[in-house]
Amino acid sequence: MLKDTLLYMARQERIRRFVSHNGFARRAARRFVAGETLDEAMAVATSLNRQHISVSLDHLGENVTDAAEARAAAQDYITILDRITDAGADANISVKLTALGLDLSADLCRENLTRLMRRAAELAIFVRVDMEGSAYTQATIDMVLALRRDFDNIGTVVQSMLYRTPADVARLIECRTRVRLVKGAYLEPVSVAYPKKADVDAHYIECMHALLECGVYPAIATHDERIIAEARRFAAHKEIAAARFEFQMLYGIRRDLQERLARDGYNVRVYVPYGTQWYPYLTRRLAERPANLMFIAGNVFRG
Ligand SMILES: Cc1cc2nc3c(=O)[nH]c(=O)nc-3n(C[C@H](O)[C@H](O)[C@H](O)COP(=O)(O)OP(=O)(O)OC[C@H]3O[C@@H](n4cnc5c(N)ncnc54)[C@H](O)[C@@H]3O)c2cc1C
């Protein structure tokens, strides 16, 4: 119930405006967001790299309603790609199609994505297209597979909560496209998604096995220790080398586990979001673990 309420709040513009301007909430958001500027995000990336942890940078923003804003978002990502190269950082980028104008027009979005893919290809940097709510799943997969014909440095994300995902996994494997597997962070109706966590977890493991065996450098993105243990067991059993996949986690969550996996010789990548548009991202993190709400509330009240 609380989870659904938080996910509903993530989409409310009036609440976003109110919370985004609250100084205490802004400071509390820093637990999950690397900062508001690229300099701050690069400092976090450098420090993670020092611990042999790779990074994916996300310039926060989604559902833009203006074509100029969507073009500016693509240009911002090009700046990030250049900064990654200049700094010699072990980092790639994660982008959301609605930040590049998907709500306005698929053509505009494709134009923006193609522009940044060209620069990423020149610099040999991988681009991950994040997965948003189920209304965008088909469009996202179609767009990624269309660009995959010209670029081998593009990949996307699938969510084990959706009924359709095993079929998407099969298609992405067939097209030799890199996949990040997640459980899913959006509020979805029972017509498209498993309502029970046990089913979401069971389907995660099913898709993970397929990706580990047949996928192209899959990303096992979860903080779920039981699933991580199963990935390690399965890879060892099938003699899949640790270099053939990576674990991914979110900035600010289970730092201990990130470091432990890196020490054990696994590839680990941390998703590092930054920017001023942190409100929907933060509410999704609160919905995943409502205890986080107490942490934020504690900060606000202490303030
Ligand atoms: C690198 C990465 C990229 C992602 N990209 C996408 C995407 O493109 N689209 C999408 O829909 N979703 C994305 N997600 C979010 C994902 O769908 C889940 O909502 C999120 O990872 C929580 O699920 P879990 O797998 O960690 O398992 P859960 O069963 O939710 O959690 C397992 C354990 O992890 C810890 N944990 C989980 N979440 C939190 C939290 N917020 N705060 C503190 N502890 C926590 C807790 O200890 C919990 O018991 C991404 C996740 C990661 C790690």
Side-chain angles (χ1 to χ4, degrees), residues 27-99:
R27 278 194 288 282
R30 288 297 290 259
R31 178 178 166 189
F32 301 104
V33 174
E36 296 202 342
T37 67
L38 179 55
D39 282 344
E40 288 168 304
M42 288 304 295
V44 167
T46 309
S47 127
L48 285 163
N49 283 175
R50 259 188 243 118
Q51 294 165 69
H52 308 288
I53 293 176
S54 313
V55 161
S56 192
L57 289 171
D58 167 28
H59 187 203
L60 292 165
E62 52 198 86
N63 297 109
V64 305
T65 51
D66 179 82
E69 218 183 308
R71 287 197 186 92
Q75 191 53 47
D76 285 345
Y77 268 109
I78 289 172
T79 305
I80 299 173
L81 293 167
D82 290 339
R83 274 293 294 279
I84 290 173
T85 306
D86 292 346
D90 176 3
N92 63 31
I93 57 171
S94 288
V95 306
K96 287 187 175 53
L97 293 188
T98 66

Side-chain angles (χ1 to χ4, degrees), residues 64-234:
V64 305
T65 51
D66 179 82
E69 218 183 308
R71 287 197 186 92
Q75 191 53 47
D76 285 345
Y77 268 109
I78 289 172
T79 305
I80 299 173
L81 293 167
D82 290 339
R83 274 293 294 279
I84 290 173
T85 306
D86 292 346
D90 176 3
N92 63 31
I93 57 171
S94 288
V95 306
K96 287 187 175 53
L97 293 188
T98 66
L100 301 182
L102 186 60
D103 287 336
L104 296 163
S105 111
D107 286 346
L108 169 76
C109 178
R110 186 178 306 107
E111 202 181 288
N112 286 330
L113 183 59
T114 305
R115 195 152 56 92
L116 83 84
M117 284 310 306
R118 279 203 196 103
R119 187 78 186 127
E122 279 164 17
L123 301 174
I125 297 176
F126 179 76
V127 176
R128 178 80 62 183
V129 177
D130 282 345
M131 190 54 79
E132 304 180 64
S134 61
Y136 301 103
T137 311
Q138 193 61 50
T140 303
I141 290 180
D142 289 347
M143 180 88 69
V144 168
L145 289 182
L147 269 79
R148 177 71 183 81
R149 291 189 206 115
D150 295 322
F151 300 101
D152 58 12
N153 59 326
I154 192 168
T156 190
V157 181
V158 295
Q159 301 152 326
S160 69
M161 72 191 300
L162 299 185
Y163 305 139
R164 59 174 287 159
T165 293
D168 290 333
V169 165
R171 187 162 172 230
L172 290 159
I173 287 176
E174 194 183 302
C175 299
R176 308 312 295 152
T177 302
R178 274 167 67 170
V179 172
R180 173 200 292 152
L181 178 63
V182 301
K183 291 187 185 177
Y186 294 81
L187 183 59
E188 301 291 1
V190 66
S191 55
V192 301
Y194 296 104
K196 290 200 188 114
K197 184 171 161 36
D199 291 325
V200 176
D201 291 358
H203 286 89
Y204 191 105
I205 290 173
E206 185 192 312
C207 294
M208 179 177 82
H209 287 166
L211 286 165
L212 284 171
E213 265 204 295
C214 309
V216 186
Y217 193 66
I220 310 305
T222 183
H223 315 88
D224 188 325
E225 289 207 62
R226 203 175 56 85
I227 289 181
I228 290 170
E230 172 55 19
R232 294 177 63 151
R233 185 204 65 78
F234 186 79

